[in-house]
């Protein structure tokens, strides 16, 4: 654990660092917490990969804080990182406030299997992801493959319904913008 505290402190002070790849080092939740605490507000860290780590809710909450406070983080990859439905909720809640996050990859987290009720876990993940898509306008890539969302029909419907609603809202905004442009073009003539 002292190794991760030292690494976190060093990275937190090294402001030229733009990318940190700690993938497939099986870092415990306690180690992750020691790493994430000093990364909050890092001015230049744009790419963070913690795939293969062992997240618990406390470390996921801190990662959510890193996302919330970071002005530079553009890519977060946490594949196969033992993220439970609540942990994915904590990460996506932090991502709601991120102004620069372009990629979030939480694939291969068997969240439904970790929940007491697989259906409940799938719905929780689907809801967290849907809320993120609705709230975050900088997000360009979202990877949630093999996270249990597809384990139940009701979870799939929840995601499909939300995404369809977002698509409809975007289509309406596009139509409204097109209509505004058409009116402006007619006025110029």
């Amino acid at each position: 654990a002292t190794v991760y505290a030292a690494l976190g402190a060093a990275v937190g002070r090294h402001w030229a660092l733009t990318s940190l790849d700690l993938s497939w080092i099986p870092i415990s939740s306690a180690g992750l917490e020691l790493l994430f605490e000093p990364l909050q507000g890092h001015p230049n860290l744009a790419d963070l990969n913690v795939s293969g780590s062992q997240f618990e809710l406390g470390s996921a909450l801190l990662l959510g804080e890193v996302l919330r406070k970071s002005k530079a983080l553009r890519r977060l990859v946490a594949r196969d990182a033992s993220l439970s439905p609540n942990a994915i909720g904590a990460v996506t809640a932090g991502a709601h406030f991120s102004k620069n996050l372009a990629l979030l990859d939480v694939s291969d987290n068997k969240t439904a299997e970790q929940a007491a009720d697989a259906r409940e876990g799938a719905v929780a993940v689907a809801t967290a992801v849907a809320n993120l898509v609705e709230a975050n306008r900088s997000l360009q890539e979202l990877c949630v493959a093999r996270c249990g969302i597809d384990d139940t029909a009701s979870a799939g419907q929840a995601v499909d319904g939300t995404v369809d609603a977002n698509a409809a809202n975007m289509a309406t905004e596009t139509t409204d913008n097109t209509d505004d442009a058409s009116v402006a073009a007619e006025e110029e003539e």
Side-chain angles (χ1 to χ4, degrees), residues 31-139:
L32 289 169
E33 290 179 27
L34 293 170
L35 277 168
F36 294 154
E37 188 70 38
L39 292 182
Q40 295 180 33
H42 192 288
N44 295 311
L45 186 63
D47 190 356
L48 178 60
N49 188 336
V50 289
S51 295
S53 295
Q54 303 299 311
F55 276 86
E56 291 178 9
L57 186 55
S59 51
L61 287 167
L62 274 175
L63 182 55
E65 282 299 299
V66 170
L67 284 166
R68 189 175 72 77
K69 292 179 178 178
S70 175
K71 295 187 181 1
L73 196 61
R74 294 191 40 77
R75 296 175 42 91
L76 172 62
V77 181
R79 299 182 118 209
D80 194 18
S82 304
L83 288 166
S84 69
N86 288 338
I88 285 183
V91 171
T92 58
H96 284 196
F97 302 101
S98 175
K99 303 249 188 276
N100 293 315
L101 188 66
L103 176 132
L104 177 62
D105 184 348
V106 291
S107 298
D108 299 313
N109 285 288
K110 307 292 190 245
T111 55
E113 294 170 10
Q114 294 174 21
D117 175 3
R119 178 185 175 123
E120 190 175 298
V123 170
V125 171
T127 301
V129 168
N131 289 338
L132 173 62
V133 169
E134 193 169 312
N136 184 302
R137 297 296 179 215
S138 66
L139 196 62

